[in-house]
Amino acid sequence: MKVSLNWLKEFIDIQDEPEKLADKLTFGGLEVEGIEKYESLPGGLKGVVIGEVKSCKKHPNADRLSLTSVDIGSGNESPIVCGAPNVAEGQKVLVATPGAFIYPINSEAFKIKKAKIRGEVSEGMICAEDELGLGENHEGIMVLDTDLPNGTPAAEYFKAYSDISIEIGLTPNRGDAASHLGVARDIKALYSKELKSFVPKDWPAKGEMKKLVVELLHPEACPRYAGIVINNLKVEESPSWLQNKLKAIGLSPINNIVDVTNFILHDLGQPLHAFDYDKISGSKVIVKHGLKGHKFKTLDEVERTLHEEDLMICNGNEPMCIGGVFGGIDSGVSETTTSIFLESACFDPVFIRKSSQRHGLKTDAAFRFERGTDIDMVISALKKAAVLLAEIAGGKIASELFDIYPEQAKAREVELKKSEIKRLIGVEIDHEEVIKILKNLDITLISDSDVAWKFEVPKYRTEVSRAADLIEEILRIYGFNNIPLSKNTGSEYLAPGDKGDYGQYEDIISDYLIGRNFNEILSNSLSNGEYDLRLEHFGSGYENAIILNKLSEELGVMRNNLLYSMLEVLRHNVNRKQKNLRLFELGFIYAKKGKAYHQKRALSIALSGQSNEESWLSENKAQNFFDLKSVLNGIAERIGLPMPGIKPGNYKFLKAGGFQINNDKAVIGWVGSIDDKMLKTFDLEQDAIIAGIELDKFIESGKKDILFKEIPKFPEVRRDLSLVLDEAISYDQIIAIAEKEGGSLIDRIGVFDVFKGKPLEKGKKSYAMSFILIDPEKTLEDKRIDKLMNNLIDKYEKELGAVIRR
């Protein structure tokens, strides 16, 4: 939420600098997340003044340039070289003086400096409209019709507006602070100052009275409903002061009627809605629910099916608005509107929250209503809006002021035991200070005994309902930083919690991958429900876990895999020219089966781009499937698990179906290059090799202790074999035979060449393999080595049909 410093000053006197005010607000519970300067004109036109051209003659060294002498109020005329065709003696012009920054419409800002142009001194710049960011015109310099003295700042002539925008991270419990008045109330308590009056005393003149009947059928959903008809309106652009206020807090002005309702919402925290009076059929406004199944088109031109509990503002024939949430397309203000029914109401937060979530509508009005608004502000906001509409749109009152308020709301009374303050805060706060703080928060003392106080809480503080809430209010104004730490306070006792087996394995995997030059990512557990259903880690019978109170469709389901978030992160980086990527993520994935929800641990690893940055020292090659397979084997080795098996898969999102990753018991994941169609869906402009692993199954496939093995004292021996095999023979088959025949003597196996094509037969391939042999107890003899290798050759020939190239 953004608030304007100038706007806040209309409620309360503020002397502190914005940064100091921000610190005060943050420590008081309204965390300031940012401070920005707003200027209605680029750069505030600083350094730009009104000048008068005293002389103008042709530049001696350039046909299209003029030499001018300009009076800018400094006592001396400034020589300025100008290229505009319309410059002439006697003109009042805008001059950017040396040191000023100007902000052209279609190019970057630059600083004005004294210079020599074609041999002539130029001390400034006579500006065109587009050069100052004032418009698009560049046909010539701006010529002013003004009697203002030379040297007058251009900002004064154009009434440039500047402000400070303060962004506050509003917590869900502080609905009362969702306005400038709400923030000003906190400033009042923090600085012990008084608020200025914010409700106008005058009432607009009456015009021709209009017929209207207002009915409230469901007061449990709308405890107070008010409104008034205003006619004689002229819909047009809002005055600059109103536009600047809205722009300073990030809103776009629309027209004077809508802008007033937005102004009141951010001014007093009370949402208003304007209905075109001429579109209220039957001259009736009825507040009701129970329109189950009715089709209703909202302002965003989306047709929605109404729920039985949706509170609707209806006319005599049909609904006009989802109460407190969003207006209808057929009843809103248009350019032809001359009369409006202006609504101000207090809606029950539960009804609004449910309707907002049901229809996926997150509006400024719903944001406030679902947190609770001030029922006493309903009429005050309506009156202030009516006065503004009279001022800027010519509005006149055209009906009685409807105020349907069936049951008067009562202020809440809360008892606070005096001993509770020290018990919860840890220090004794002077009782007079306590009463003063609460009084500044409009929480008034009703009774005082030796043991406890009783306070009355204003209706707009809907979240303050118990003693602990009062103590929180006392503490945030008194200052958390004013509570001294005990001499014995320390963090030594905060020992790390037991992560369990899985947590320890995750740490090992994370450390290993970081050591292999990977970067860890952490993505949102919420994902886009429109992504194709893929539940490879769960299996048949499972479905997506859908969020009931989704913030948006893009965050509508719990993720069922880590693939999509990984592709989003890859795209984000590639679009920012970070193309050589090694990423991994450890996290939970979710699914639903029947009425039960399930979660599993998952690991996602991705390679994309080149294996290293360009260098004259090494060859640059693209990262490939075998790089990722090596990483998977390394993880298994690091945590003491058997090497995972890799078999051809049938995954539609992987090229050629990709591969499935197996252990002895089940499929534990997949790996492969992402299919071109999937890359296009995610706008990813380069290939990516990704593995998705179900971590629980992966870890449980072994869970062996990692044992220390002494470094061998005896030399190793290398033997090479060249095998010609059918293409269908897998590398795993070769390894399995070697491990069976070689036992502990074979330390490791490598492939240093793979060959296909002539002179080999079609369907054949050649592997050149190295076998590293070692005996930890003694030096290997040739006789023993030859026997092992001959056994291997024999097995390869008989079981795999291999031809040994000698």
Side-chain angles (χ1 to χ4, degrees), residues 523-803:
S523 62
N524 200 332
S525 295
L526 302 180
S527 186
N528 194 331
E530 294 183 3
Y531 287 155
D532 190 16
L533 280 174
R534 289 204 172 85
L535 297 149
E536 286 82 10
H537 293 306
F538 288 93
S540 62
Y542 286 88
E543 58 187 29
N544 271 334
I546 299 172
I547 303 297
L548 297 179
N549 58 338
K550 62 184 75 170
L551 295 172
S552 66
E553 290 302 323
E554 289 74 20
L555 299 172
V557 300
M558 300 294 287
R559 63 185 180 193
N560 57 47
N561 61 56
L562 301 182
L563 170 63
Y564 301 129
S565 56
M566 181 62 77
L567 289 171
E568 289 172 342
V569 172
L570 288 171
R571 177 186 60 201
H572 183 85
N573 281 273
V574 170
N575 288 348
R576 286 155 182 77
K577 310 301 181 184
Q578 304 301 309
K579 298 190 175 184
N580 300 333
L581 300 165
R582 295 169 69 86
L583 305 175
F584 76 95
E585 179 171 16
L586 289 158
F588 282 105
I589 55 176
Y590 309 86
K592 181 184 179 185
K593 192 171 188 179
K595 294 184 178 180
Y597 291 89
H598 301 263
Q599 69 175 23
K600 294 184 178 183
R601 288 179 171 84
L603 167 65
S604 179
I605 309 174
L607 301 176
S608 187
Q610 305 298 311
S611 58
N612 53 273
E613 299 297 332
E614 290 181 333
S615 171
W616 63 277
L617 287 171
S618 60
E619 181 184 355
N620 200 13
K621 71 179 186 70
Q623 299 182 93
N624 57 44
F625 169 81
F626 297 101
D627 293 324
L628 187 48
K629 184 181 177 185
S630 169
V631 169
L632 295 175
N633 288 338
I635 292 172
E637 184 177 20
R638 178 61 63 89
I639 58 180
L641 304 181
M643 297 296 171
I646 304 291
K647 294 182 180 180
N650 188 28
Y651 301 98
K652 293 180 180 179
F653 55 91
L654 298 177
K655 290 180 181 177
F659 298 88
Q660 61 178 220
I661 305 172
N662 307 287
N663 60 18
D664 294 336
K665 301 175 183 177
V667 177
I668 61 172
W670 49 261
V671 61
S673 297
I674 300 300
D675 180 71
D676 291 339
K677 186 178 179 181
M678 179 69 82
L679 293 175
K680 188 174 181 180
T681 299
F682 281 83
D683 294 325
L684 186 55
E685 297 178 353
Q686 64 185 44
D687 288 341
I689 305 98
I690 301 181
I693 298 170
E694 189 180 330
L695 207 55
D696 299 16
K697 287 183 179 178
F698 184 46
I699 291 172
E700 289 182 3
S701 65
K703 275 191 177 180
K704 297 177 182 177
D705 291 332
I706 301 174
L707 302 176
F708 168 76
K709 186 168 70 172
E710 187 179 0
I711 297 173
K713 298 177 182 178
F714 301 96
E716 62 185 32
V717 176
R718 170 171 170 157
R719 291 290 185 269
D720 296 342
L721 284 181
S722 180
L723 309 175
V724 178
L725 303 155
D726 290 339
E727 282 191 61
I729 302 298
S730 70
Y731 178 70
D732 286 344
Q733 289 175 275
I734 300 171
I735 296 299
I737 291 174
E739 289 178 345
K740 182 178 178 181
E741 294 299 316
S744 61
L745 290 184
I746 297 181
D747 186 65
R748 56 191 185 276
I749 303 170
V751 178
F752 58 88
D753 188 36
V754 177
F755 178 77
K756 294 180 183 179
K758 295 182 179 179
L760 296 179
E761 297 177 29
K762 187 177 181 181
K764 297 288 185 179
K765 62 184 176 182
S766 173
Y767 277 176
M769 304 183 65
S770 64
F771 296 83
I772 308 301
L773 314 176
I774 193 167
D775 188 335
E777 303 297 332
K778 59 184 177 180
T779 301
L780 282 170
E781 297 175 351
D782 288 344
K783 185 177 180 181
R784 192 178 178 193
I785 296 168
D786 291 342
K787 181 180 179 181
L788 171 59
M789 296 307 297
N790 287 331
N791 286 342
L792 273 179
I793 291 170
D794 184 58
K795 290 292 184 182
Y796 287 147
E797 288 176 337
K798 289 180 179 178
E799 296 186 17
L800 302 181
V803 175

Side-chain angles (χ1 to χ4, degrees), residues 214-216 222-227 285 287 402-407:
V214 179
E215 297 178 5
L216 174 60
C222 178
R224 188 174 191 179
Y225 190 84
V285 173
V287 185
F402 300 96
D403 183 13
I404 306 174
Y405 194 6
E407 186 176 345

Side-chain angles (χ1 to χ4, degrees), residues 450-467:
D450 293 339
V451 177
W453 296 292
K454 184 175 283 188
F455 292 96
E456 183 179 273
V457 180
K459 296 168 195 168
Y460 67 82
R461 293 306 303 271
T462 56
E463 87 288 4
V464 178
S465 60
R466 53 186 182 151

Side-chain angles (χ1 to χ4, degrees), residues 208-270:
E208 180 186 351
M209 300 302 282
K210 300 279 189 180
K211 177 185 175 184
L212 192 70
V213 175
V214 179
E215 297 178 5
L216 174 60
L217 302 186
H218 297 284
E220 77 282 0
C222 178
R224 188 174 191 179
Y225 190 84
I228 195 166
V229 178
I230 302 174
N231 69 358
N232 200 46
L233 295 167
K234 183 178 180 182
V235 178
E236 57 187 4
E237 191 177 82
S238 294
S240 59
W241 69 264
L242 180 52
Q243 290 195 42
N244 283 327
K245 281 192 171 186
L246 296 177
K247 287 177 181 178
I249 59 171
L251 299 181
S252 299
I254 298 172
N255 59 53
N256 52 357
I257 311 299
V258 176
D259 291 351
V260 164
T261 62
N262 283 333
F263 171 82
I264 295 297
L265 181 142
H266 290 275
D267 185 58
L268 303 178
Q270 174 62 42

Side-chain angles (χ1 to χ4, degrees), residues 503-522:
Q504 292 174 18
Y505 281 117
E506 286 179 353
D507 286 349
I508 293 170
I509 292 170
S510 178
D511 290 344
Y512 172 78
L513 290 171
I514 290 169
R516 291 285 297 263
N517 202 28
F518 280 80
N519 288 305
E520 184 174 8
I521 65 170
L522 181 64

